[in-house]
Amino acid sequence: MTRVNVYSAMHKAQRKRMFDLASDMGRADFEDTATVNRLRADLERIIANLREHAQYEENFVHPLFAEAGAAAQEPLQTFHDEHNDLEALLEEIETHAKTNFDAKLYADINRLIATYLIHIDKEETAQESLLWPNFDDARMAGV
């Protein structure tokens, strides 16, 4: 039986955008102004989306974890802490990208992607083990 998945569509889209950016940056000539401007705009959109999504999760998904009982409290705190850590990475990348579009930025973005992939895997796994057993599809769809 397929369950309502509060993460799937957004996380898939985020993966695609981040993988596309990493691939494009891996082939980019950072001396080409037009290329850098396009990549900078892509990066800014991704950062904005990641921030909006984190806020959505804090406002709508995390309250479900808070209601899901004692077993969900440690993962909930982990998600909150990881959101803070990811925000620090986003700020670092954003600051660097304003003045330098280079190999260091490329490495930092790939580090962000790796960190984010682990984070969203934890969220998706916790949804299956902690939210689905405690909430029906109607409640999940209300998120």
Side-chain angles (χ1 to χ4, degrees), residues 63-80:
L64 289 179
F65 281 102
E67 292 179 42
Q73 300 319 298
E74 185 177 333
L76 176 58
Q77 185 60 50
T78 297
F79 300 152
H80 181 72

Side-chain angles (χ1 to χ4, degrees), residues 113-128:
I113 293 168
T115 302
Y116 194 70
L117 290 174
I118 293 167
H119 169 73
I120 63 177
D121 179 67
K122 289 178 190 176
E123 289 178 333
E124 292 167 359
T125 301
Q127 173 184 238
E128 292 175 21

Side-chain angles (χ1 to χ4, degrees), residues 49-60:
N49 175 266
L50 292 172
R51 285 182 171 141
E52 289 169 14
H53 182 65
Q55 192 62 54
Y56 164 81
E57 288 179 354
E58 294 280 343
N59 292 336
F60 299 104

Side-chain angles (χ1 to χ4, degrees), residues 88-131:
L89 284 172
L90 292 175
E91 289 173 5
E92 182 181 320
I93 287 168
E94 203 169 39
T95 299
H96 188 92
K98 287 178 184 175
T99 56
N100 297 293
F101 228 84
D102 55 16
K104 180 188 179 324
L105 179 65
Y106 175 60
D108 289 346
I109 288 169
N110 280 294
R111 194 170 304 106
L112 168 68
I113 293 168
T115 302
Y116 194 70
L117 290 174
I118 293 167
H119 169 73
I120 63 177
D121 179 67
K122 289 178 190 176
E123 289 178 333
E124 292 167 359
T125 301
Q127 173 184 238
E128 292 175 21
S129 64
L130 298 168
L131 297 185

